[in-house]
mmCIF file of all heavy atoms in Angstrom:
data_model
loop_
_atom_site.group_PDB
_atom_site.id
_atom_site.type_symbol
_atom_site.label_atom_id
_atom_site.label_comp_id
_atom_site.label_asym_id
_atom_site.label_seq_id
_atom_site.Cartn_x
_atom_site.Cartn_y
_atom_site.Cartn_z
ATOM 1 N N PRO A 231 -7.848 -61.186 -1.447
ATOM 2 C CA PRO A 231 -8.496 -62.261 -0.720
ATOM 3 C C PRO A 231 -9.161 -61.804 0.585
ATOM 4 O O PRO A 231 -10.171 -62.411 0.984
ATOM 5 C CB PRO A 231 -7.321 -63.160 -0.435
ATOM 6 C CG PRO A 231 -6.021 -62.372 -0.644
ATOM 7 C CD PRO A 231 -6.387 -61.279 -1.623
ATOM 8 N N GLN A 232 -8.618 -60.734 1.171
ATOM 9 C CA GLN A 232 -9.221 -60.241 2.497
ATOM 10 C C GLN A 232 -10.688 -59.951 2.352
ATOM 11 O O GLN A 232 -11.517 -60.241 3.216
ATOM 12 C CB GLN A 232 -8.453 -59.103 3.057
ATOM 13 C CG GLN A 232 -7.180 -59.454 3.881
ATOM 14 C CD GLN A 232 -6.042 -59.825 2.964
ATOM 15 O OE1 GLN A 232 -6.027 -59.530 1.790
ATOM 16 N NE2 GLN A 232 -5.100 -60.636 3.487
ATOM 17 N N ALA A 233 -11.066 -59.343 1.205
ATOM 18 C CA ALA A 233 -12.440 -58.940 0.980
ATOM 19 C C ALA A 233 -13.397 -60.117 0.962
ATOM 20 O O ALA A 233 -14.590 -59.999 1.140
ATOM 21 C CB ALA A 233 -12.537 -58.139 -0.333
ATOM 22 N N TYR A 234 -12.785 -61.347 0.665
ATOM 23 C CA TYR A 234 -13.656 -62.485 0.645
ATOM 24 C C TYR A 234 -13.406 -63.372 1.897
ATOM 25 O O TYR A 234 -13.862 -64.542 1.990
ATOM 26 C CB TYR A 234 -13.337 -63.341 -0.585
ATOM 27 C CG TYR A 234 -13.657 -62.635 -1.875
ATOM 28 C CD1 TYR A 234 -12.864 -61.751 -2.473
ATOM 29 C CD2 TYR A 234 -14.935 -62.806 -2.474
ATOM 30 C CE1 TYR A 234 -13.139 -61.080 -3.679
ATOM 31 C CE2 TYR A 234 -15.345 -62.137 -3.560
ATOM 32 C CZ TYR A 234 -14.441 -61.251 -4.233
ATOM 33 O OH TYR A 234 -14.781 -60.599 -5.357
ATOM 34 N N GLY A 235 -12.779 -62.858 2.885
ATOM 35 C CA GLY A 235 -12.550 -63.544 4.141
ATOM 36 C C GLY A 235 -11.511 -64.683 4.064
ATOM 37 O O GLY A 235 -11.524 -65.668 4.756
ATOM 38 N N LEU A 236 -10.611 -64.535 3.047
ATOM 39 C CA LEU A 236 -9.594 -65.631 2.813
ATOM 40 C C LEU A 236 -8.312 -65.206 3.465
ATOM 41 O O LEU A 236 -7.983 -64.038 3.408
ATOM 42 C CB LEU A 236 -9.400 -65.874 1.373
ATOM 43 C CG LEU A 236 -10.616 -66.407 0.549
ATOM 44 C CD1 LEU A 236 -10.277 -66.378 -0.935
ATOM 45 C CD2 LEU A 236 -11.045 -67.689 0.937
ATOM 46 N N LYS A 237 -7.593 -66.150 4.082
ATOM 47 C CA LYS A 237 -6.371 -65.866 4.769
ATOM 48 C C LYS A 237 -5.195 -66.055 3.840
ATOM 49 O O LYS A 237 -4.118 -66.517 4.175
ATOM 50 C CB LYS A 237 -6.162 -66.745 5.969
ATOM 51 C CG LYS A 237 -7.144 -66.326 7.127
ATOM 52 C CD LYS A 237 -6.854 -67.187 8.354
ATOM 53 C CE LYS A 237 -8.044 -67.653 9.027
ATOM 54 N NZ LYS A 237 -7.789 -68.755 9.983
ATOM 55 N N GLU A 238 -5.377 -65.617 2.531
ATOM 56 C CA GLU A 238 -4.286 -65.760 1.561
ATOM 57 C C GLU A 238 -3.453 -64.477 1.456
ATOM 58 O O GLU A 238 -3.976 -63.396 1.832
ATOM 59 C CB GLU A 238 -4.836 -66.092 0.146
ATOM 60 C CG GLU A 238 -5.640 -67.332 0.077
ATOM 61 C CD GLU A 238 -4.833 -68.583 0.063
ATOM 62 O OE1 GLU A 238 -3.620 -68.511 -0.186
ATOM 63 O OE2 GLU A 238 -5.325 -69.654 0.417
ATOM 64 N N GLN A 239 -2.208 -64.606 0.918
ATOM 65 C CA GLN A 239 -1.534 -63.427 0.589
ATOM 66 C C GLN A 239 -2.040 -62.905 -0.737
ATOM 67 O O GLN A 239 -2.348 -63.739 -1.627
ATOM 68 C CB GLN A 239 0.000 -63.680 0.438
ATOM 69 C CG GLN A 239 0.685 -64.071 1.725
ATOM 70 C CD GLN A 239 0.688 -62.941 2.709
ATOM 71 O OE1 GLN A 239 0.938 -61.792 2.350
ATOM 72 N NE2 GLN A 239 0.294 -63.303 3.950
ATOM 73 N N PRO A 240 -2.302 -61.628 -0.905
ATOM 74 C CA PRO A 240 -2.821 -61.153 -2.236
ATOM 75 C C PRO A 240 -1.763 -61.362 -3.275
ATOM 76 O O PRO A 240 -0.578 -61.259 -3.058
ATOM 77 C CB PRO A 240 -2.982 -59.607 -1.989
ATOM 78 C CG PRO A 240 -2.876 -59.379 -0.514
ATOM 79 C CD PRO A 240 -2.142 -60.550 0.110
ATOM 80 N N LEU A 241 -2.222 -61.728 -4.418
ATOM 81 C CA LEU A 241 -1.345 -62.017 -5.634
ATOM 82 C C LEU A 241 -1.300 -60.740 -6.502
ATOM 83 O O LEU A 241 -2.311 -60.035 -6.636
ATOM 84 C CB LEU A 241 -1.749 -63.174 -6.427
ATOM 85 C CG LEU A 241 -1.831 -64.539 -5.752
ATOM 86 C CD1 LEU A 241 -2.405 -65.527 -6.754
ATOM 87 C CD2 LEU A 241 -0.416 -64.962 -5.349
ATOM 88 N N ALA A 242 -0.094 -60.470 -7.112
ATOM 89 C CA ALA A 242 -0.054 -59.373 -8.101
ATOM 90 C C ALA A 242 -0.930 -59.817 -9.251
ATOM 91 O O ALA A 242 -1.154 -61.020 -9.479
ATOM 92 C CB ALA A 242 1.408 -59.265 -8.552
ATOM 93 N N PRO A 243 -1.534 -58.803 -10.001
ATOM 94 C CA PRO A 243 -2.518 -59.186 -11.033
ATOM 95 C C PRO A 243 -2.000 -60.176 -12.050
ATOM 96 O O PRO A 243 -2.722 -61.052 -12.511
ATOM 97 C CB PRO A 243 -2.837 -57.842 -11.699
ATOM 98 C CG PRO A 243 -2.600 -56.842 -10.602
ATOM 99 C CD PRO A 243 -1.450 -57.405 -9.776
ATOM 100 N N ASP A 244 -0.642 -60.110 -12.446
ATOM 101 C CA ASP A 244 -0.153 -60.983 -13.485
ATOM 102 C C ASP A 244 -0.131 -62.390 -12.923
ATOM 103 O O ASP A 244 -0.392 -63.362 -13.592
ATOM 104 C CB ASP A 244 1.174 -60.511 -14.051
ATOM 105 C CG ASP A 244 2.204 -60.304 -12.989
ATOM 106 O OD1 ASP A 244 1.804 -60.166 -11.756
ATOM 107 O OD2 ASP A 244 3.441 -60.340 -13.299
ATOM 108 N N MET A 245 0.375 -62.554 -11.631
ATOM 109 C CA MET A 245 0.416 -63.798 -11.040
ATOM 110 C C MET A 245 -0.999 -64.373 -10.782
ATOM 111 O O MET A 245 -1.231 -65.627 -11.001
ATOM 112 C CB MET A 245 1.238 -63.806 -9.746
ATOM 113 C CG MET A 245 1.423 -65.082 -9.029
ATOM 114 S SD MET A 245 2.182 -66.404 -10.055
ATOM 115 C CE MET A 245 3.916 -66.221 -9.712
ATOM 116 N N ALA A 246 -1.911 -63.476 -10.418
ATOM 117 C CA ALA A 246 -3.294 -63.882 -10.179
ATOM 118 C C ALA A 246 -3.884 -64.542 -11.472
ATOM 119 O O ALA A 246 -4.724 -65.482 -11.421
ATOM 120 C CB ALA A 246 -4.184 -62.740 -9.720
ATOM 121 N N GLN A 247 -3.540 -64.011 -12.657
ATOM 122 C CA GLN A 247 -3.967 -64.637 -13.879
ATOM 123 C C GLN A 247 -3.504 -66.066 -14.060
ATOM 124 O O GLN A 247 -4.161 -66.843 -14.696
ATOM 125 C CB GLN A 247 -3.486 -63.767 -15.131
ATOM 126 C CG GLN A 247 -4.239 -62.490 -15.273
ATOM 127 C CD GLN A 247 -5.677 -62.668 -15.591
ATOM 128 O OE1 GLN A 247 -6.105 -63.691 -16.146
ATOM 129 N NE2 GLN A 247 -6.462 -61.662 -15.219
ATOM 130 N N LYS A 248 -2.338 -66.348 -13.428
ATOM 131 C CA LYS A 248 -1.787 -67.745 -13.570
ATOM 132 C C LYS A 248 -2.583 -68.726 -12.789
ATOM 133 O O LYS A 248 -2.375 -69.945 -12.981
ATOM 134 C CB LYS A 248 -0.313 -67.789 -13.139
ATOM 135 C CG LYS A 248 0.615 -66.784 -13.869
ATOM 136 C CD LYS A 248 0.602 -67.100 -15.330
ATOM 137 C CE LYS A 248 1.564 -66.206 -16.021
ATOM 138 N NZ LYS A 248 1.371 -66.071 -17.482
ATOM 139 N N THR A 249 -3.531 -68.323 -11.920
ATOM 140 C CA THR A 249 -4.384 -69.344 -11.278
ATOM 141 C C THR A 249 -5.235 -70.025 -12.397
ATOM 142 O O THR A 249 -5.680 -71.143 -12.196
ATOM 143 C CB THR A 249 -5.338 -68.629 -10.293
ATOM 144 O OG1 THR A 249 -6.112 -67.630 -10.964
ATOM 145 C CG2 THR A 249 -4.605 -68.051 -9.122
ATOM 146 N N GLN A 250 -5.414 -69.348 -13.485
ATOM 147 C CA GLN A 250 -6.102 -70.018 -14.666
ATOM 148 C C GLN A 250 -5.382 -71.298 -15.073
ATOM 149 O O GLN A 250 -5.974 -72.258 -15.477
ATOM 150 C CB GLN A 250 -6.232 -69.113 -15.830
ATOM 151 C CG GLN A 250 -7.163 -67.943 -15.533
ATOM 152 C CD GLN A 250 -7.701 -67.316 -16.862
ATOM 153 O OE1 GLN A 250 -8.224 -68.008 -17.652
ATOM 154 N NE2 GLN A 250 -7.477 -66.034 -17.009
ATOM 155 N N VAL A 251 -4.024 -71.294 -14.951
ATOM 156 C CA VAL A 251 -3.249 -72.431 -15.385
ATOM 157 C C VAL A 251 -3.624 -73.593 -14.366
ATOM 158 O O VAL A 251 -3.766 -74.722 -14.805
ATOM 159 C CB VAL A 251 -1.721 -72.110 -15.344
ATOM 160 C CG1 VAL A 251 -0.937 -73.409 -15.728
ATOM 161 C CG2 VAL A 251 -1.375 -71.001 -16.275
#
Side-chain angles (χ1 to χ4, degrees):
Chain A
Q232 276 76 23
Y234 294 87
L236 300 172
K237 286 186 223 163
E238 300 285 339
Q239 292 297 315
L241 297 176
D244 57 339
M245 184 54 93
Q247 286 295 335
K248 301 301 183 199
T249 56
Q250 293 200 56
V251 179

